[in-house]
Amino acid sequence: MSWDYFIELFLGGLTRGSIYALIALGYTMVYGIIELINFAHGEIYMIGAFTALIIASVLSLFGMHQLVVLVLAVVLAVVYACAYGFTVEKIAYKPLRKAPRLSVLISAIGMSLFLQNYVLLAQTSDFLPFPKLIPDFEFWEPYSHIISSQELTIIATTVVVMILLTFLIKFTTIGKAMRATAQDKIMAALVGIDVNHIISITFIVGSATAAIGGVLIASHIGQINFFIGFIAGIKAFVAAVLGGIGSIPGAVLGSLVLGWTESFFTGYISSDYEDVFAFLFLVFILIFRPAGILGRSQTQKV
Amino acid sequence: MTKNCLKRMAVLLLCGALSLGLFTGVGLAAETIKIGVAGAHSGDLASYGIPSMRAAQLVVDQVNAKGGVLGKKVEIIAEDDACKPEIATNTATKLVSQKVDVVLGHICSGATKAALGIYKDANIIVMSPSATNPDLTQSGGYPNFYRTIASDDAQAKLDVEFALNVLKLKKIAVIHDKGDYGKGFAEFAKKFLEESGKAEVVLFEGITPGAVDYSAVIQKVKRENAEAVIYGGYHPEASKIVGQMRNKKMNTIFISDDGVKDDTFIKVAKEDAEGVYASGPKDTSSNPLNVAAVKAHRDKYGEDKGAFFENAYSATLALVNAIEKAGSTDYNALSKALKSEWVETPIGKISFDQRGDAIGAGFSVYQVKGGKFVEVK
């Protein structure tokens, strides 16, 4: 057993975990506010990636600098995905605010299928090549065989996004309103918080992180199709549950734990049963900590 | 009393349904010979299935222009299975209920396996242009199955011999996608490598299709100092693995199967695809029949032919030829004709052996050079 190998697996798991985290953040934020598992979240991630692909292809035609293309693609993907997240909430969830939770859940699954098929029809069913938007940093060349500059970017972005989100929720008025809404919607409304407005903002912020994730991950694996949101979404959802759904540090921690579990299991045992083991591990953690690693157990509101 | 009434009604209904079925059956069978075309016509593997549908259409158009077979026009009934076994059984049932005489398809091995039993019960001959799983012909369980492509073990044997004798490799990692096709290929590759005694299989692993990252498996390949990866599976995962290996500055040779020998692979993997080896059906592009078929495709659809086009074209020709020689679409007569008659096709002059494998169809190894698959001589 060599240390090099261990470190490589550790970094591989860290990358994988960061990928999950960028998507898991959206799940956990939405759940925190309206206790809805937003199954369409994976699709928002996919739409973000598609938007970036289209923008990047168009901009590359004009021969723009790679960094300019990257920034513009990310910004526009975020704007587009936010618009989708906002609209999805208005169409599929808001009219069901007073309905039983199961109805909203089914509405979410329907939205997910709808968006998948919409992209399938509007774009293509083929796998499309995704350009390498993140350049190979020159200063990082000596270490790039251990961890590539793209992986480094993903990890760094996750950290930054997590810090920004924590800041948003802990120290801003909007964050305060979000926490209030999460605690008690009626009471929050009574003290003058526009609950619908706050929920919209939550969806927009969640969609933005998913879009950023979509661009970075697609650039990392170099291909996209209409179905990528599903698998990534499921894994991220599992990560969010593992960390304690509703908690932002929990989503990141859960993602990292899931990433490391998969990476080490593959590295030291076998990748044949990678998913089986990851889910077994999830079951174990939930047996001992039913609310997730960082989740607070709360009495079920019926 | 009511019970009796219900029973009588049920019997009446049943009689009605049966007689209707009988009439439509007789009525339609007299008009045309129906070839069912099953495969992935939508979804992410549509690029494997659509060329077959077009190939069948081109052959049928030609046959019909000459007045059809046995004095009847030939008709195509296409059904989509999206390459999914669970959908393929429905597809097969649909085709059987539409009374097709023979079936061209299915495209993916898993889907074909799932559908074959249904055709067998209905005494329908099935010919696949692309399902390469060895069991389909070697298990003996599907006497109604034929194919115009060599099976995975032939392909694995070719790839292994290439790796051992041409590339002279000593340490090889074998990776697969856990599917029927990929794992079958990988297991044969492993078996042949071990039997040869010339090289060591340092790693044998399955990966999860659709995962966001394969770095752990790639690290493993690196740790084992494998000189090459033999991969069994389809192009989406192959391009991810090759891309991530090149990102990690690994020059490991990548050898794969005809699931990867698809232009989409080069399109997606871009410069990382350079140098990748993949086996695929023998290059018969200079065969005059093939040249004519490709030209007909270009004239009708305005684009280049796709994967398995020649195989599907040949399969349709073989089926039509067998129907003509047999003088009917009867199962036994067709089986006999397929196994005894030779037919000129774009992939060469072919017939079928007792198990249903085409005699005269083979594989070659290709390498990506300058963004194209080039046959390695």
Side-chain angles (χ1 to χ4, degrees), chain B residues 113-161:
Chain B
K113 216 177 206 173
L116 271 178
I118 294 167
Y119 297 123
K120 191 179 151 195
D121 292 341
N123 275 335
I124 293 175
I125 299 260
V126 179
M127 193 178 289
S128 171
S130 58
T132 50
N133 184 297
D135 265 2
L136 291 172
T137 51
Q138 292 173 13
S139 70
Y142 310 108
N144 59 330
F145 181 71
Y146 297 82
R147 60 179 153 208
T148 49
I149 193 162
S151 67
D152 287 335
D153 55 341
Q155 209 184 148
K157 191 156 210 148
L158 179 74
D159 281 348
V160 165
E161 273 166 7

Short mmCIF file of all heavy atoms in Angstrom, two decimals, chain B residues 113-161:
data_model
loop_
_atom_site.label_atom_id
_atom_site.label_comp_id
_atom_site.label_asym_id
_atom_site.label_seq_id
_atom_site.Cartn_x
_atom_site.Cartn_y
_atom_site.Cartn_z
N LYS B 113 -31.69 -10.73 -26.99
CA LYS B 113 -31.88 -11.90 -26.13
C LYS B 113 -33.27 -11.89 -25.52
O LYS B 113 -33.95 -12.92 -25.47
CB LYS B 113 -30.82 -11.85 -25.02
CG LYS B 113 -30.31 -13.21 -24.64
CD LYS B 113 -29.23 -13.02 -23.58
CE LYS B 113 -28.26 -14.16 -23.58
NZ LYS B 113 -27.13 -13.89 -22.69
N ALA B 114 -33.68 -10.73 -25.04
CA ALA B 114 -34.98 -10.64 -24.39
C ALA B 114 -36.12 -10.94 -25.37
O ALA B 114 -37.14 -11.53 -25.00
CB ALA B 114 -35.16 -9.24 -23.80
N ALA B 115 -35.94 -10.56 -26.63
CA ALA B 115 -37.04 -10.67 -27.59
C ALA B 115 -37.11 -12.04 -28.27
O ALA B 115 -38.18 -12.45 -28.71
CB ALA B 115 -36.89 -9.58 -28.65
N LEU B 116 -35.98 -12.74 -28.32
CA LEU B 116 -35.91 -13.96 -29.15
C LEU B 116 -36.94 -15.03 -28.79
O LEU B 116 -37.51 -15.67 -29.66
CB LEU B 116 -34.50 -14.56 -29.08
CG LEU B 116 -33.56 -14.01 -30.14
CD1 LEU B 116 -32.18 -14.62 -29.98
CD2 LEU B 116 -34.09 -14.32 -31.53
N GLY B 117 -37.17 -15.22 -27.50
CA GLY B 117 -38.10 -16.26 -27.08
C GLY B 117 -39.48 -16.06 -27.67
O GLY B 117 -40.15 -17.01 -28.09
N ILE B 118 -39.89 -14.80 -27.76
CA ILE B 118 -41.23 -14.48 -28.27
C ILE B 118 -41.33 -14.83 -29.75
O ILE B 118 -42.31 -15.41 -30.20
CB ILE B 118 -41.53 -12.99 -28.03
CG1 ILE B 118 -41.62 -12.75 -26.52
CG2 ILE B 118 -42.82 -12.56 -28.72
CD1 ILE B 118 -41.60 -11.32 -26.11
N TYR B 119 -40.27 -14.53 -30.51
CA TYR B 119 -40.27 -14.88 -31.93
C TYR B 119 -40.22 -16.40 -32.11
O TYR B 119 -40.81 -16.94 -33.03
CB TYR B 119 -39.07 -14.26 -32.64
CG TYR B 119 -39.07 -12.75 -32.64
CD1 TYR B 119 -38.01 -12.04 -32.11
CD2 TYR B 119 -40.14 -12.05 -33.19
CE1 TYR B 119 -38.00 -10.66 -32.12
CE2 TYR B 119 -40.14 -10.67 -33.19
CZ TYR B 119 -39.06 -9.97 -32.66
OH TYR B 119 -39.06 -8.62 -32.66
N LYS B 120 -39.46 -17.04 -31.22
CA LYS B 120 -39.30 -18.49 -31.33
C LYS B 120 -40.67 -19.17 -31.19
O LYS B 120 -41.02 -20.06 -31.96
CB LYS B 120 -38.34 -18.98 -30.24
CG LYS B 120 -37.89 -20.41 -30.42
CD LYS B 120 -36.92 -20.74 -29.29
CE LYS B 120 -36.98 -22.21 -28.96
NZ LYS B 120 -36.33 -22.48 -27.68
N ASP B 121 -41.43 -18.72 -30.20
CA ASP B 121 -42.75 -19.30 -29.98
C ASP B 121 -43.66 -19.06 -31.18
O ASP B 121 -44.59 -19.83 -31.42
CB ASP B 121 -43.40 -18.70 -28.73
CG ASP B 121 -42.66 -19.14 -27.48
OD1 ASP B 121 -41.92 -20.15 -27.57
OD2 ASP B 121 -42.80 -18.49 -26.43
N ALA B 122 -43.42 -17.97 -31.90
CA ALA B 122 -44.28 -17.66 -33.04
C ALA B 122 -43.70 -18.18 -34.35
O ALA B 122 -44.22 -17.88 -35.42
CB ALA B 122 -44.48 -16.15 -33.13
N ASN B 123 -42.58 -18.96 -34.26
CA ASN B 123 -41.92 -19.50 -35.46
C ASN B 123 -41.53 -18.41 -36.46
O ASN B 123 -41.86 -18.48 -37.63
CB ASN B 123 -42.83 -20.52 -36.16
CG ASN B 123 -42.67 -21.88 -35.54
OD1 ASN B 123 -41.62 -22.18 -34.95
ND2 ASN B 123 -43.69 -22.70 -35.64
N ILE B 124 -40.85 -17.41 -35.96
CA ILE B 124 -40.42 -16.33 -36.85
C ILE B 124 -38.89 -16.29 -36.86
O ILE B 124 -38.25 -16.34 -35.81
CB ILE B 124 -40.98 -14.97 -36.38
CG1 ILE B 124 -42.49 -14.98 -36.55
CG2 ILE B 124 -40.36 -13.82 -37.16
CD1 ILE B 124 -43.17 -13.76 -36.02
N ILE B 125 -38.33 -16.22 -38.07
CA ILE B 125 -36.88 -16.12 -38.22
C ILE B 125 -36.44 -14.70 -37.89
O ILE B 125 -37.06 -13.74 -38.34
CB ILE B 125 -36.48 -16.45 -39.67
CG1 ILE B 125 -36.90 -17.87 -40.02
CG2 ILE B 125 -35.01 -16.16 -39.92
CD1 ILE B 125 -35.86 -18.90 -39.96
N VAL B 126 -35.36 -14.58 -37.12
CA VAL B 126 -34.85 -13.27 -36.73
C VAL B 126 -33.41 -13.17 -37.20
O VAL B 126 -32.63 -14.10 -37.01
CB VAL B 126 -34.88 -13.10 -35.20
CG1 VAL B 126 -34.31 -11.75 -34.80
CG2 VAL B 126 -36.28 -13.27 -34.67
N MET B 127 -33.05 -12.06 -37.83
CA MET B 127 -31.67 -11.88 -38.24
C MET B 127 -31.16 -10.52 -37.78
O MET B 127 -31.72 -9.50 -38.13
CB MET B 127 -31.54 -12.00 -39.77
CG MET B 127 -30.10 -12.13 -40.21
SD MET B 127 -29.92 -12.32 -41.98
CE MET B 127 -30.53 -13.97 -42.24
N SER B 128 -30.13 -10.54 -36.96
CA SER B 128 -29.61 -9.29 -36.43
C SER B 128 -28.38 -8.84 -37.21
O SER B 128 -27.52 -9.65 -37.54
CB SER B 128 -29.24 -9.45 -34.96
OG SER B 128 -28.55 -8.30 -34.55
N PRO B 129 -28.28 -7.54 -37.51
CA PRO B 129 -27.09 -7.04 -38.17
C PRO B 129 -25.98 -6.73 -37.18
O PRO B 129 -24.87 -6.40 -37.58
CB PRO B 129 -27.59 -5.75 -38.82
CG PRO B 129 -28.68 -5.29 -37.94
CD PRO B 129 -29.31 -6.50 -37.35
N SER B 130 -26.27 -6.79 -35.88
CA SER B 130 -25.31 -6.21 -34.94
C SER B 130 -25.21 -6.88 -33.58
O SER B 130 -24.31 -6.57 -32.82
CB SER B 130 -25.66 -4.75 -34.72
OG SER B 130 -26.99 -4.68 -34.24
N ALA B 131 -26.14 -7.80 -33.23
CA ALA B 131 -26.08 -8.40 -31.89
C ALA B 131 -24.97 -9.44 -31.87
O ALA B 131 -25.06 -10.47 -32.53
CB ALA B 131 -27.41 -9.03 -31.53
N THR B 132 -23.91 -9.16 -31.11
CA THR B 132 -22.72 -9.99 -31.20
C THR B 132 -22.51 -10.92 -30.02
O THR B 132 -21.50 -11.59 -29.94
CB THR B 132 -21.48 -9.08 -31.35
OG1 THR B 132 -21.54 -8.11 -30.32
CG2 THR B 132 -21.44 -8.42 -32.69
N ASN B 133 -23.43 -10.95 -29.08
CA ASN B 133 -23.27 -11.81 -27.91
C ASN B 133 -23.17 -13.29 -28.33
O ASN B 133 -24.04 -13.78 -29.05
CB ASN B 133 -24.47 -11.60 -26.98
CG ASN B 133 -24.33 -12.39 -25.70
OD1 ASN B 133 -24.29 -13.61 -25.74
ND2 ASN B 133 -24.25 -11.70 -24.59
N PRO B 134 -22.11 -13.99 -27.91
CA PRO B 134 -21.88 -15.36 -28.40
C PRO B 134 -23.03 -16.32 -28.08
O PRO B 134 -23.39 -17.15 -28.91
CB PRO B 134 -20.63 -15.79 -27.64
CG PRO B 134 -19.99 -14.55 -27.19
CD PRO B 134 -21.05 -13.53 -27.02
N ASP B 135 -23.60 -16.20 -26.89
CA ASP B 135 -24.66 -17.10 -26.46
C ASP B 135 -25.81 -17.20 -27.46
O ASP B 135 -26.46 -18.22 -27.57
CB ASP B 135 -25.26 -16.60 -25.14
CG ASP B 135 -24.61 -17.31 -23.97
OD1 ASP B 135 -23.70 -18.12 -24.26
OD2 ASP B 135 -25.00 -17.06 -22.82
N LEU B 136 -26.09 -16.10 -28.15
CA LEU B 136 -27.24 -16.07 -29.03
C LEU B 136 -27.20 -17.20 -30.04
O LEU B 136 -28.22 -17.80 -30.35
CB LEU B 136 -27.31 -14.71 -29.75
CG LEU B 136 -27.63 -13.53 -28.86
CD1 LEU B 136 -27.47 -12.22 -29.61
CD2 LEU B 136 -29.04 -13.62 -28.31
N THR B 137 -26.01 -17.52 -30.54
CA THR B 137 -25.92 -18.64 -31.47
C THR B 137 -25.36 -19.89 -30.80
O THR B 137 -25.72 -21.00 -31.14
CB THR B 137 -25.04 -18.31 -32.69
OG1 THR B 137 -23.81 -17.80 -32.20
CG2 THR B 137 -25.69 -17.31 -33.59
N GLN B 138 -24.46 -19.70 -29.82
CA GLN B 138 -23.74 -20.86 -29.30
C GLN B 138 -24.50 -21.65 -28.26
O GLN B 138 -24.21 -22.82 -28.00
CB GLN B 138 -22.39 -20.40 -28.73
CG GLN B 138 -21.47 -19.94 -29.83
CD GLN B 138 -20.20 -19.34 -29.31
OE1 GLN B 138 -19.87 -19.46 -28.15
NE2 GLN B 138 -19.47 -18.69 -30.20
N SER B 139 -25.49 -21.04 -27.62
CA SER B 139 -26.21 -21.75 -26.57
C SER B 139 -27.16 -22.80 -27.16
O SER B 139 -27.55 -23.74 -26.49
CB SER B 139 -27.02 -20.77 -25.72
OG SER B 139 -28.08 -20.27 -26.49
N GLY B 140 -27.53 -22.62 -28.43
CA GLY B 140 -28.46 -23.58 -29.04
C GLY B 140 -29.90 -23.33 -28.64
O GLY B 140 -30.80 -24.04 -29.07
N GLY B 141 -30.12 -22.32 -27.83
CA GLY B 141 -31.47 -22.06 -27.34
C GLY B 141 -32.34 -21.28 -28.32
O GLY B 141 -33.55 -21.17 -28.14
N TYR B 142 -31.70 -20.71 -29.35
CA TYR B 142 -32.46 -19.88 -30.28
C TYR B 142 -32.24 -20.34 -31.72
O TYR B 142 -31.49 -19.72 -32.48
CB TYR B 142 -32.06 -18.41 -30.14
CG TYR B 142 -32.06 -17.92 -28.72
CD1 TYR B 142 -30.88 -17.67 -28.04
CD2 TYR B 142 -33.27 -17.73 -28.03
CE1 TYR B 142 -30.88 -17.24 -26.73
CE2 TYR B 142 -33.27 -17.31 -26.72
CZ TYR B 142 -32.08 -17.06 -26.07
OH TYR B 142 -32.08 -16.64 -24.78
N PRO B 143 -32.88 -21.44 -32.12
CA PRO B 143 -32.66 -21.95 -33.49
C PRO B 143 -33.19 -21.00 -34.56
O PRO B 143 -32.86 -21.15 -35.72
CB PRO B 143 -33.44 -23.27 -33.49
CG PRO B 143 -34.44 -23.12 -32.39
CD PRO B 143 -33.83 -22.24 -31.37
N ASN B 144 -34.01 -20.04 -34.16
CA ASN B 144 -34.58 -19.11 -35.15
C ASN B 144 -33.71 -17.89 -35.36
O ASN B 144 -34.08 -16.96 -36.06
CB ASN B 144 -35.98 -18.67 -34.71
CG ASN B 144 -35.96 -17.99 -33.35
OD1 ASN B 144 -35.12 -18.30 -32.51
ND2 ASN B 144 -36.89 -17.07 -33.12
N PHE B 145 -32.52 -17.87 -34.71
CA PHE B 145 -31.69 -16.66 -34.76
C PHE B 145 -30.52 -16.78 -35.75
O PHE B 145 -29.83 -17.80 -35.80
CB PHE B 145 -31.14 -16.36 -33.37
CG PHE B 145 -30.29 -15.13 -33.33
CD1 PHE B 145 -30.87 -13.88 -33.46
CD2 PHE B 145 -28.92 -15.22 -33.20
CE1 PHE B 145 -30.09 -12.74 -33.45
CE2 PHE B 145 -28.13 -14.08 -33.20
CZ PHE B 145 -28.73 -12.84 -33.32
N TYR B 146 -30.33 -15.71 -36.52
CA TYR B 146 -29.21 -15.62 -37.45
C TYR B 146 -28.57 -14.26 -37.29
O TYR B 146 -29.19 -13.34 -36.77
CB TYR B 146 -29.70 -15.78 -38.90
CG TYR B 146 -30.32 -17.12 -39.16
CD1 TYR B 146 -31.64 -17.36 -38.80
CD2 TYR B 146 -29.58 -18.14 -39.73
CE1 TYR B 146 -32.21 -18.61 -39.01
CE2 TYR B 146 -30.14 -19.39 -39.93
CZ TYR B 146 -31.46 -19.62 -39.58
OH TYR B 146 -32.00 -20.85 -39.77
N ARG B 147 -27.32 -14.13 -37.75
CA ARG B 147 -26.74 -12.78 -37.73
C ARG B 147 -25.71 -12.62 -38.82
O ARG B 147 -25.07 -13.58 -39.25
CB ARG B 147 -26.13 -12.47 -36.36
CG ARG B 147 -25.03 -13.41 -35.93
CD ARG B 147 -24.50 -12.98 -34.58
NE ARG B 147 -23.94 -14.10 -33.83
CZ ARG B 147 -23.91 -14.15 -32.51
NH1 ARG B 147 -24.41 -13.18 -31.79
NH2 ARG B 147 -23.36 -15.18 -31.90
N THR B 148 -25.56 -11.35 -39.25
CA THR B 148 -24.59 -11.06 -40.31
C THR B 148 -23.38 -10.36 -39.73
O THR B 148 -22.72 -9.58 -40.40
CB THR B 148 -25.23 -10.17 -41.39
OG1 THR B 148 -25.87 -9.08 -40.73
CG2 THR B 148 -26.23 -10.94 -42.22
N ILE B 149 -23.09 -10.62 -38.47
CA ILE B 149 -21.92 -10.01 -37.84
C ILE B 149 -21.26 -11.13 -37.04
O ILE B 149 -21.95 -12.02 -36.56
CB ILE B 149 -22.34 -8.82 -36.95
CG1 ILE B 149 -21.13 -8.00 -36.55
CG2 ILE B 149 -23.10 -9.28 -35.70
CD1 ILE B 149 -21.47 -6.61 -36.07
N ALA B 150 -19.95 -11.08 -36.95
CA ALA B 150 -19.27 -12.13 -36.18
C ALA B 150 -19.52 -11.90 -34.69
O ALA B 150 -19.80 -10.79 -34.26
CB ALA B 150 -17.78 -12.10 -36.48
N SER B 151 -19.45 -12.96 -33.89
CA SER B 151 -19.81 -12.82 -32.48
C SER B 151 -18.65 -12.24 -31.67
O SER B 151 -17.53 -12.15 -32.14
CB SER B 151 -20.24 -14.16 -31.92
OG SER B 151 -19.14 -15.03 -31.89
N ASP B 152 -18.95 -11.86 -30.43
CA ASP B 152 -17.96 -11.21 -29.57
C ASP B 152 -16.71 -12.03 -29.37
O ASP B 152 -15.63 -11.49 -29.21
CB ASP B 152 -18.56 -10.95 -28.19
CG ASP B 152 -19.55 -9.84 -28.21
OD1 ASP B 152 -19.44 -8.98 -29.10
OD2 ASP B 152 -20.44 -9.83 -27.36
N ASP B 153 -16.87 -13.36 -29.28
CA ASP B 153 -15.65 -14.12 -29.01
C ASP B 153 -14.70 -14.02 -30.20
O ASP B 153 -13.49 -13.95 -30.01
CB ASP B 153 -15.95 -15.57 -28.60
CG ASP B 153 -16.81 -16.30 -29.62
OD1 ASP B 153 -17.45 -15.61 -30.44
OD2 ASP B 153 -16.83 -17.53 -29.61
N ALA B 154 -15.26 -13.97 -31.42
CA ALA B 154 -14.40 -13.80 -32.59
C ALA B 154 -13.70 -12.46 -32.50
O ALA B 154 -12.51 -12.31 -32.78
CB ALA B 154 -15.23 -13.88 -33.86
N GLN B 155 -14.48 -11.48 -32.06
CA GLN B 155 -13.96 -10.13 -31.95
C GLN B 155 -12.90 -10.03 -30.85
O GLN B 155 -11.84 -9.44 -31.02
CB GLN B 155 -15.13 -9.21 -31.63
CG GLN B 155 -14.94 -7.83 -32.13
CD GLN B 155 -16.07 -6.93 -31.71
OE1 GLN B 155 -15.85 -5.79 -31.50
NE2 GLN B 155 -17.26 -7.43 -31.58
N ALA B 156 -13.21 -10.65 -29.69
CA ALA B 156 -12.28 -10.62 -28.57
C ALA B 156 -10.99 -11.33 -28.96
O ALA B 156 -9.89 -10.89 -28.63
CB ALA B 156 -12.90 -11.29 -27.35
N LYS B 157 -11.14 -12.43 -29.69
CA LYS B 157 -9.97 -13.20 -30.11
C LYS B 157 -9.07 -12.33 -31.00
O LYS B 157 -7.86 -12.27 -30.81
CB LYS B 157 -10.43 -14.45 -30.88
CG LYS B 157 -9.33 -15.42 -31.12
CD LYS B 157 -9.87 -16.83 -31.32
CE LYS B 157 -8.84 -17.81 -30.84
NZ LYS B 157 -9.40 -19.02 -30.31
N LEU B 158 -9.70 -11.64 -31.94
CA LEU B 158 -8.95 -10.78 -32.85
C LEU B 158 -8.22 -9.68 -32.09
O LEU B 158 -7.04 -9.43 -32.29
CB LEU B 158 -9.91 -10.17 -33.88
CG LEU B 158 -9.27 -9.24 -34.89
CD1 LEU B 158 -8.48 -10.04 -35.89
CD2 LEU B 158 -10.32 -8.40 -35.59
N ASP B 159 -8.95 -9.03 -31.15
CA ASP B 159 -8.35 -7.93 -30.38
C ASP B 159 -7.19 -8.44 -29.54
O ASP B 159 -6.15 -7.79 -29.42
CB ASP B 159 -9.40 -7.28 -29.47
CG ASP B 159 -10.28 -6.33 -30.25
OD1 ASP B 159 -9.93 -6.01 -31.40
OD2 ASP B 159 -11.32 -5.91 -29.71
N VAL B 160 -7.36 -9.61 -28.92
CA VAL B 160 -6.32 -10.16 -28.06
C VAL B 160 -5.10 -10.53 -28.90
O VAL B 160 -3.96 -10.21 -28.53
CB VAL B 160 -6.85 -11.37 -27.27
CG1 VAL B 160 -5.72 -12.16 -26.65
CG2 VAL B 160 -7.83 -10.91 -26.20
N GLU B 161 -5.34 -11.18 -30.03
CA GLU B 161 -4.21 -11.55 -30.89
C GLU B 161 -3.47 -10.32 -31.37
O GLU B 161 -2.24 -10.30 -31.43
CB GLU B 161 -4.71 -12.38 -32.08
CG GLU B 161 -4.78 -13.85 -31.73
CD GLU B 161 -5.56 -14.66 -32.75
OE1 GLU B 161 -5.95 -14.10 -33.80
OE2 GLU B 161 -5.79 -15.84 -32.46
#
